Amino acid sequence: QVQLQESGPGQVKPSETLSLTCAVSGVSVSTYYWYWIRQSPGTGLEYIGYIYYGGRTNYNPSLKSRVTMSIDTSNNQFSLELNSVTAADTAVYYCARGLGVINAFNIWGQGTTVSVSS
Amino acid sequence: DIQMTQSPSSLSASVGDRVTITCQASQDIGNYLNWYQQKPGKAPRLLIYDASNLQTGVPSRFSGGGSGTDFTLTISSLLPEDVATYFCQQYDNFPITFGPGTKMDIK
């Protein structure tokens, strides 16, 4: 059974870097596309980007200048960094797995709430 | 970016009703449209992919249709456990975008 679990600080100060990790069990991160998505009451569901084994990435242009994703095959996990955060980055952050080559998210982590405040 | 709209924004229906939600894309997206169900405090759950394909494990009372710019999600006979918010999502063009959601409850 494939499971994803997000981890990271629940609060980040403005202008600092938000760092989250998604631990994957039941399948190797060397397969499939791996995604980050966030959700806030004001913005709804927002695609952040994906990473594929080998380093292929796609980032939402609205966040591209601030986002970095990486894969750690030795620990079977992938990560998100979002720098220069503001209150607008306050959201529930989800990691998710894609449905093969289709950009549908068929397995999700439980989500982690990140609040940006001083 | 492709803009996704949904109607209605909220819906109240009775157990056993046939319910249809619509999703419209701001441009032709072929059949690159997925539907999700989200219950409070939970992550979204994939129901339908590529407009009309039922994801494994999803009850057959859910169905999807449409192509181009106009899509539907239908629940053939509403059950109490279907109380949730439903989202559409396009992946024809990056960035992937989602609809604002349709909140469904039981009368």
Side-chain angles (χ1 to χ4, degrees):
Chain A
Q1 181 185 1
V2 179
Q3 291 187 315
L4 282 62
Q5 178 68 59
E6 304 92 347
S7 62
Q11 185 168 331
V12 182
K13 291 183 169 55
S15 78
E16 295 189 345
T17 297
L18 178 162
S19 297
L20 298 175
T21 295
C22 182
V24 179
S25 59
V27 70
S28 168
V29 291
S30 301
T31 56
Y32 295 97
Y33 287 78
W34 303 96
Y35 298 81
W36 289 98
I37 296 150
R38 68 183 185 181
Q39 184 174 30
S40 63
T43 312
L45 286 162
E46 182 178 25
Y47 167 78
I48 300 172
Y50 76 65
I51 187 164
Y52 185 71
Y53 176 66
R56 185 191 310 173
T57 57
N58 176 276
Y59 300 147
N60 192 322
S62 68
L63 300 169
K64 188 173 184 177
S65 63
R66 300 193 291 129
V67 170
T68 303
M69 295 183 185
S70 59
I71 277 189
D72 177 358
T73 55
S74 59
N75 289 302
N76 212 43
Q77 61 188 29
F78 61 104
S79 299
L80 167 71
E81 288 193 344
L82 180 67
N83 60 40
S84 304
V85 297
T86 70
D89 295 310
T90 294
V92 177
Y93 286 75
Y94 294 101
C95 58
R97 192 193 82 172
L99 185 64
V101 296
I102 299 171
N103 289 303
F105 315 118
N106 68 324
I107 299 175
W108 296 66
Q110 65 184 26
T112 187
T113 300
V114 179
S115 175
V116 178
S117 67
S118 53
Chain B
D1 298 5
I2 295 176
Q3 306 302 315
M4 307 300 293
T5 57
Q6 289 182 233
S7 61
S9 57
S10 63
L11 174 59
S12 186
S14 300
V15 172
D17 281 355
R18 181 181 181 88
V19 174
T20 297
I21 296 167
T22 65
C23 174
Q24 188 168 59
S26 59
Q27 64 188 65
D28 190 333
I29 59 170
N31 68 335
Y32 297 129
L33 189 284
N34 306 317
W35 288 98
Y36 299 84
Q37 174 193 65
Q38 186 177 33
K39 297 184 178 180
K42 301 292 188 182
R45 172 196 182 195
L46 178 65
L47 298 176
I48 302 284
Y49 64 93
D50 287 351
S52 61
N53 294 293
L54 195 67
Q55 170 65 356
T56 303
V58 174
S60 59
R61 66 180 181 275
F62 291 93
S63 64
S67 66
T69 60
D70 296 297
F71 301 86
T72 58
L73 173 70
T74 298
I75 306 174
S76 61
S77 182
L78 190 68
L79 295 180
E81 58 259 40
D82 299 332
V83 169
T85 301
Y86 294 84
F87 297 93
C88 59
Q89 171 241 322
Q90 70 79 24
Y91 69 97
D92 181 56
N93 278 356
F94 285 102
I96 291 167
T97 50
F98 292 85
T102 294
K103 188 172 183 180
M104 187 177 308
D105 63 23
I106 300 288
K107 276 184 189 173

